Amino acid sequence: MFGKITEENSGQLCSANRVSRLKKFINQQISSRIKISGKKRAYSDTQEDADNQLQKLEVAIENYSEELRITTVQPFENGERNYSVDYSISLPKNIDLQILSTNSNVTLKEVEGNVKVNVTNGKLDTQVTLPENGELTMKNVNGDMKL
């Protein structure tokens, strides 16, 4: 059985004079145990510019032996544009996790391992079942926590 982590990198919402462009960017099987999927969005004043900016918004996935690093890379000069990326990561329920997140909301569901989470500028929502003598460490700077 698999647990699930979702990370929502939430930029500004559309206002009446802004348009957005959405693209499902990945549905990638990292291993037989880990799968990443997600959507990226670009917000701008025109549809053409939003389409152009969406092509410049990058997601970097680095898979090391003991670590999976996912980074949102926004265009250097973004003017008045906004961007967002929503990630969904499926992995085994009983895996031990360490999550570092900045400017993102993190939701943990059906996780049954030791968990260490550090969130800066985002909301943290967890549904964790700890193993016997397990450990849960949560730190949130400038955001809500729900356990």
Side-chain angles (χ1 to χ4, degrees):
M1 199 58 148
F2 285 85
K4 192 171 194 177
I5 299 174
T6 59
E7 180 172 333
E8 300 171 26
N9 184 356
S10 51
Q12 265 184 313
L13 297 176
C14 274
S15 63
N17 61 348
R18 308 268 295 168
V19 295
S20 69
R21 187 68 170 152
L22 169 68
K23 179 181 180 183
K24 186 170 183 177
F25 69 93
I26 52 173
N27 192 5
Q28 185 171 347
Q29 193 78 31
I30 299 297
S31 70
S32 62
R33 299 170 37 133
I34 301 173
K35 180 180 177 182
I36 302 171
S37 61
K39 298 174 186 172
K40 62 182 185 177
R41 291 180 178 88
Y43 302 88
S44 188
D45 294 328
T46 68
Q47 191 66 55
E48 181 180 356
D49 188 54
D51 289 341
N52 185 35
Q53 292 303 309
L54 188 61
Q55 299 304 315
K56 295 178 182 179
L57 180 60
E58 297 179 16
V59 173
I61 300 172
E62 299 169 278
N63 190 5
Y64 303 102
S65 62
E66 297 285 323
E67 177 182 354
L68 178 64
R69 184 176 295 176
I70 304 168
T71 308
T72 302
V73 183
Q74 295 185 9
F76 181 69
E77 293 189 24
N78 61 14
E80 295 293 317
R81 302 172 192 100
N82 299 103
Y83 308 91
S84 71
V85 178
D86 298 334
Y87 298 101
S88 180
I89 305 167
S90 297
L91 55 141
K93 279 185 170 187
N94 60 347
I95 196 167
D96 290 341
L97 296 174
Q98 179 175 343
I99 300 170
L100 304 172
S101 179
T102 305
N103 298 326
S104 303
N105 298 328
V106 175
T107 302
L108 300 174
K109 294 182 182 177
E110 302 176 26
V111 176
E112 296 179 359
N114 295 309
V115 177
K116 183 175 183 178
V117 183
N118 187 338
V119 176
T120 303
N121 296 328
K123 184 169 56 172
L124 175 59
D125 186 3
T126 62
Q127 295 176 8
V128 176
T129 303
L130 293 176
E132 189 173 328
N133 298 318
E135 187 175 326
L136 171 64
T137 306
M138 298 186 332
K139 180 179 179 185
N140 191 353
V141 178
N142 196 26
D144 297 330
M145 282 197 317
K146 181 179 174 185
L147 179 61

